[in-house]
Amino acid sequence: MLKRVFVLFFILLCTPGLAQVNVDSLKSVWKDVEQPDTVKLKALGRIAWAYLFNQPDSGFYYAQTQFELAQTIDSQIWMAIASNTKGVSFKVKDDFFNALKSYQQGLELASAIGDQTTVKPHLLNNIGNVYYNLGDHANAIRYYIESLQLAEKNNNKKGMSTALVGISNVHFLQGEYAKSLEYLEQTHELATEIDDKNLLSTTSHNLGSAYLEEGDDSTALVYYNQALLIDQKLADRQGVGLNLTAIGRVMVNRKRYPEALSYFNRALKVANDVGDKKGASIAFINMSNVHEARKDFSKAISSSRNALAIAQDSRIIEQARDAANSLYRNYKAVGNTGLALEMYELRTTLRDSINRLENQREIIDQEYKYAYEKQAAADSVAFAKQEEIRIQDERIADVKRQRDWLLVISALVILAVITVAFFLRNTGLSAMNLELEHKNVLIVEQNSQLEDTLSKLKTTQTQLLQSEKMASIGQLIAGVAHEINNPVNFIISGTELLARDIQDLGKLIKEWQGQKVEKPDLATIVKNITESIEHVQMGGQRTAEIVEALRTFSYVDQVKMTKVDIHEIIESNLILLRNSLKGGINLEKDFIPSPEKIECAPGQINQVFLNILVNAIDAMHGEGNLTITTRDEGTQISIRIRDSGPGIPVDNLTKVFDPFFTTKDIGMGTGLGLSISYGIIKKHHGDIEVISEEGKGCEFVVTIPKRQPAA
């Protein structure tokens, strides 16, 4: 709830209040050489804001173009405005370091020209927002208060309101709800006074959330209804859905379940109308919780399955986890242990993914802070340089004043003083220029280090999914268990026959000793013993093959590079999948003779081929042709795995390597296998592609270098 509140606050601060613009007509104005520069600057700004939230990179491009045009006419106020817009484009992408850099550049420009009302209040608030997102609440409060003081000085009530909302959000996040309410009440009063409906809606909703945390659900309900009424008048459908959900949760707290379901159904309708997949998933989860509380488990399961289907289709991990958790509880309640276990495993997988993403995000945030502190140190050096220049300028001014005073004395002395002064001045300036050049070199080096740090951050982000376990490990274990069962049966039956034959030998021995017993046939006994030993040997040999194949999977997480035979890796997978290949699947192998060993991480490459082979077998549903071909491509080895299944639709071809994309039923796959395989092959400096025509099968082509480049 709080995250959604802050998103509303951020949009409130950053949106310049523009109506829907005709981008094409604005581009015509910008490109018209006859238009004044100020008109072009306004057009570029409106184009940038039109793209900003849906296409932030395009928004940045037009903001940067606006900045460069402002530079050509030396307009610092327009440069400050463009810097603010660039900062917003970075903030939308959660690039807090560059957002902070752009905002601070704009703040320096605005402060240099004494701006108090045009853009400086927005910049102060936006800097506070960045620190808020980075968890640096002390700095966030400092900038919000500075913005508030500036707004009070200029009697800017809108600016006062936005600063107060920021301060209240910090206190809310720290659990200081009483303080948050104090600032929100002030904001609500100001919003009412200036009749700002958008701000009034946001403040009313925030007040409802704060009172709810304080345990006063009656007052919370009053403010939620007030926010709902305003959003309905403003035709703000997403705001309406947010407040309907909030009111529904209050009804749940009061155990007024029919009313809660009514509000959640209305929220679902709004979400569907505006295409809000996350809102729809949340609405279904809320309805499932109500049904579960009423012990109506069938409806609870139906709502949770709808939520899970929407969340998986839209790749919304948090809602997918919550839906899986709800299904686990409800399947368990009705005694469906199998499906409950599936949902428990899915919930665990999604929860682990979320934890890894949050840990990675925390690492990135810390690295952003480190990069910012390093940049701040560089800025401090630049400031010291500017201060030194200022002192030198003051000294030069003193020299000029002395020169002017000496002019009064006499023309001859004036000439001498001027000559000496200019000589000293030029000498001093030359030394100063050399020192400044040296400091500029240091600043360039520091900036280069910062760019290298940011490049490493991007590399870290691309490796988020590479530590996932094989999603098909359950199917592998089932197949291996079935395969091991057959040779074990051979061994057991063989030992039973040996025991029987040994008893017959005992009878012969007794007969030789003169005891009266039924005499068995010695030749038959020898034949039976030989066949039993062969059964035992066959079972042992097949078991050894399976164990050897499993050995390569015992180091799935090992990344040490080793030279291996690619055919051995493929054969190991085929042994483990032998049970799945039985029936109507015909296996064809076209291997190159004696291939050169390749350098790779064996466990990871095993994971790649297991994922591809499992998908191929699943696609054929127990009947078809599976062809595996290897070729020597000079410095590389290529492996082609083709199945005769139904193929992949054209619309899905570009998605097969996307995380969480799957066409399997719920619980049959997480959609991570091919995404992980893609990352592993790219890490090995290889390539993986898919060739498919719907109705004519599918072929995966994997290319791996024989030698990995030196680290």
Side-chain angles (χ1 to χ4, degrees):
M1 181 71 70
L2 176 60
K3 184 175 181 181
R4 173 64 176 170
V5 170
F6 190 72
V7 168
L8 288 173
F9 170 53
F10 173 73
I11 294 174
L12 175 68
L13 292 182
C14 294
T15 304
L18 297 175
Q20 181 66 33
V21 296
N22 187 326
V23 174
D24 290 335
S25 64
L26 288 172
K27 288 181 180 179
S28 299
V29 172
W30 162 48
K31 294 178 180 179
D32 187 353
V33 294
E34 300 297 327
Q35 293 287 350
D37 288 331
T38 53
V39 174
K40 293 180 180 180
L41 287 166
K42 290 178 182 178
L44 283 166
R46 297 185 70 188
I47 296 169
W49 278 95
Y51 284 114
L52 213 51
F53 292 98
N54 294 321
Q55 302 177 40
D57 289 333
S58 297
F60 172 82
Y61 169 80
Y62 287 104
Q64 179 63 27
T65 305
Q66 183 188 39
F67 184 91
E68 291 169 358
L69 178 58
Q71 271 187 317
T72 61
I73 63 173
D74 196 26
S75 173
Q76 287 186 296
I77 188 63
W78 278 106
M79 290 163 65
I81 291 170
S83 295
N84 181 61
T85 309
K86 289 196 294 181
V88 174
S89 73
F90 287 121
K91 173 64 178 65
V92 169
K93 299 189 295 181
D94 289 337
D95 186 349
F96 301 121
F97 173 74
N98 282 313
L100 190 60
K101 213 174 165 187
S102 295
Y103 291 146
Q104 288 182 328
Q105 181 187 33
L107 185 60
E108 289 175 5
L109 290 164
S111 300
I113 58 175
D115 173 58
Q116 299 287 311
T117 58
T118 304
V119 69
K120 188 173 181 179
H122 298 290
L123 288 161
L124 289 169
N125 268 311
N126 288 339
I127 293 172
N129 292 341
V130 172
Y131 280 119
Y132 177 96
N133 281 275
L134 290 173
D136 188 347
H137 295 156
N139 267 320
I141 286 287
R142 180 166 71 87
Y143 278 95
Y144 288 146
I145 289 176
E146 186 176 349
S147 175
L148 178 61
Q149 291 171 341
L150 182 63
E152 289 174 339
K153 178 181 177 181
N154 294 284
N155 196 30
N156 179 356
K157 294 182 179 179
K158 176 68 176 290
M160 292 163 60
S161 301
T162 52
L164 287 168
V165 172
I167 296 170
S168 72
N169 281 341
V170 173
H171 287 301
F172 187 102
L173 196 61
Q174 292 179 333
E176 299 168 352
Y177 304 119
K179 277 194 172 184
S180 179
L181 281 170
E182 177 185 344
Y183 286 107
L184 284 171
E185 292 288 359
Q186 294 180 52
T187 309
H188 194 270
E189 183 179 341
L190 284 169
T192 304
E193 183 179 344
I194 63 178
D195 196 29
D196 187 331
K197 300 298 185 186
N198 284 308
L199 180 60
L200 195 59
S201 168
T202 301
T203 309
S204 297
H205 184 94
N206 291 10
L207 279 164
S209 299
Y211 275 112
L212 194 61
E213 292 294 338
E214 284 283 84
D216 187 353
D217 63 350
S218 297
T219 307
L221 193 58
V222 170
Y223 280 110
Y224 282 145
N225 276 303
Q226 185 181 102
L228 176 62
L229 184 62
I230 295 169
D231 287 334
Q232 286 172 337
K233 290 180 179 178
L234 293 173
D236 180 2
R237 303 303 301 278
Q238 286 190 326
V240 168
L242 174 67
N243 286 298
L244 287 170
T245 299
I247 295 170
R249 287 173 176 166
V250 173
M251 295 299 109
V252 171
N253 288 344
R254 295 182 171 187
K255 301 189 184 306
R256 290 159 59 176
Y257 298 127
E259 292 177 63
L261 284 173
S262 174
Y263 281 105
F264 293 145
N265 272 304
R266 290 168 63 188
L268 175 62
K269 185 178 184 305
V270 170
N272 288 333
D273 288 345
V274 300
D276 181 8
K277 299 294 186 183
K278 183 176 181 180
S281 179
I282 290 172
F284 274 121
I285 290 171
N286 285 328
M287 287 189 280
S288 175
N289 291 337
V290 173
H291 292 311
E292 183 180 357
R294 301 177 76 182
K295 307 299 183 184
D296 192 347
F297 298 116
S298 62
K299 288 184 179 179
I301 289 171
S302 176
S303 296
S304 293
R305 288 184 68 85
N306 287 332
L308 182 61
I310 294 171
Q312 286 187 319
D313 183 60
S314 303
R315 301 173 197 170
I316 309 171
I317 304 178
E318 291 86 352
Q319 270 61 61
R321 174 203 59 195
D322 293 342
N325 190 37
S326 177
L327 284 168
Y328 161 69
R329 294 195 309 269
N330 286 287
Y331 279 134
K332 186 177 179 182
V334 299
N336 193 333
T337 308
L339 288 176
L341 181 59
E342 285 184 15
M343 291 302 104
Y344 177 84
E345 292 173 347
L346 177 59
R347 181 197 68 177
T348 303
T349 300
L350 293 169
R351 183 188 62 198
D352 292 343
S353 296
I354 291 169
N355 290 339
R356 277 190 290 273
L357 289 171
E358 288 176 349
N359 290 338
Q360 190 66 28
R361 193 176 292 117
E362 178 62 24
I363 292 169
I364 292 171
D365 286 347
Q366 292 300 322
E367 291 176 333
Y368 274 139
K369 287 182 181 179
Y370 168 76
Y372 166 70
E373 289 169 1
K374 198 166 184 179
Q375 180 63 42
D379 292 342
S380 177
V381 172
F383 176 80
K385 176 195 71 176
Q386 293 174 350
E387 185 66 15
E388 188 173 348
I389 293 173
R390 184 186 65 77
I391 293 170
Q392 292 292 344
D393 288 342
E394 288 179 357
R395 290 176 181 172
I396 293 170
D398 287 339
V399 172
K400 288 182 178 180
R401 282 193 294 273
Q402 291 175 8
R403 183 195 62 188
D404 293 339
W405 182 80
L406 290 173
L407 280 171
V408 182
I409 300 175
S410 79
L412 291 176
V413 176
I414 289 170
L415 182 60
V417 169
I418 289 174
T419 303
V420 173
F422 269 104
F423 175 76
L424 292 174
R425 178 174 177 270
N426 291 336
T427 302
L429 288 174
S430 297
M432 287 167 56
N433 286 335
L434 288 173
E435 187 174 357
L436 289 176
E437 288 177 3
H438 175 68
K439 291 181 177 179
N440 282 334
V441 169
L442 291 177
I443 291 172
V444 169
E445 290 177 353
Q446 290 170 341
N447 286 337
S448 175
Q449 292 173 0
L450 288 175
E451 290 174 0
D452 183 57
T453 300
L454 290 175
S455 175
K456 291 178 180 177
L457 288 178
K458 292 177 181 177
T459 301
T460 301
Q461 286 175 310
T462 61
Q463 295 172 347
L464 277 174
L465 290 173
Q466 290 187 5
S467 62
E468 290 285 353
K469 300 293 183 182
M470 290 183 292
S472 56
I473 195 69
Q475 183 173 351
L476 170 64
I477 291 172
V480 170
H482 189 278
E483 279 302 304
I484 289 180
N485 189 51
N486 290 333
V488 167
N489 285 336
F490 280 147
I491 293 171
I492 291 172
S493 63
T495 54
E496 289 175 350
L497 291 172
L498 282 173
R500 187 194 65 192
D501 292 334
I502 288 171
Q503 289 177 353
D504 289 342
L505 283 175
K507 292 178 180 179
L508 279 176
I509 292 171
K510 289 179 180 179
E511 197 270 336
W512 291 335
Q513 292 174 345
Q515 299 180 25
K516 293 183 178 180
V517 294
E518 182 182 349
K519 181 180 179 181
D521 181 23
L522 180 60
T524 302
I525 294 172
V526 172
K527 179 184 176 184
N528 289 342
I529 290 174
T530 303
E531 290 177 351
S532 297
I533 291 173
E534 288 175 354
H535 273 259
V536 172
Q537 288 176 334
M538 183 186 301
Q541 183 177 356
R542 289 188 62 182
T543 303
E545 289 176 358
I546 294 169
V547 171
E548 176 62 22
L550 279 172
R551 183 183 60 81
T552 59
F553 286 90
S554 63
Y555 301 103
V556 143
D557 293 327
Q558 182 177 338
V559 295
K560 182 179 178 181
M561 294 296 172
T562 307
K563 291 183 179 180
V564 297
D565 186 333
I566 194 66
H567 290 167
E568 289 182 2
I569 288 179
I570 296 171
E571 292 290 0
S572 295
N573 280 281
L574 292 174
I575 289 172
L576 296 178
L577 294 172
R578 185 184 293 160
N579 182 58
S580 300
L581 290 168
K582 291 178 179 177
I585 296 180
N586 177 40
L587 174 65
E588 298 178 6
K589 293 183 287 186
D590 182 8
F591 289 176
I592 55 174
S594 304
E596 184 178 349
K597 290 187 176 182
I598 64 169
E599 193 174 58
C600 67
Q604 293 186 348
I605 297 300
N606 258 312
Q607 184 176 347
V608 171
F609 288 116
L610 181 63
N611 285 336
I612 296 174
L613 287 168
V614 166
N615 285 342
I617 292 168
D618 288 347
M620 291 185 287
H621 301 291
E623 184 174 346
N625 294 318
L626 178 63
T627 305
I628 306 173
T629 306
T630 61
R631 291 291 182 267
D632 191 319
E633 307 286 351
T635 60
Q636 298 178 322
I637 293 288
S638 70
I639 304 94
R640 293 175 174 266
I641 300 175
R642 180 172 184 83
D643 65 70
S644 60
I648 301 174
V650 175
D651 292 343
N652 289 341
L653 273 175
T654 58
K655 305 175 186 176
V656 292
F657 297 116
D658 290 352
F660 302 108
F661 175 78
T662 180
T663 57
K664 297 180 180 180
D665 294 335
I666 294 174
M668 298 301 294
T670 63
L672 292 173
L674 289 177
S675 173
I676 294 170
S677 300
Y678 181 87
I680 291 172
I681 294 301
K682 288 298 180 183
K683 189 176 180 181
H684 280 75
H685 304 91
D687 197 15
I688 179 171
E689 62 176 324
V690 58
I691 302 169
S692 180
E693 184 177 347
E694 193 169 1
K696 296 185 178 180
C698 177
E699 182 177 42
F700 279 84
V701 183
V702 179
T703 308
I704 308 174
K706 295 177 182 177
R707 297 290 178 270
Q708 294 297 316

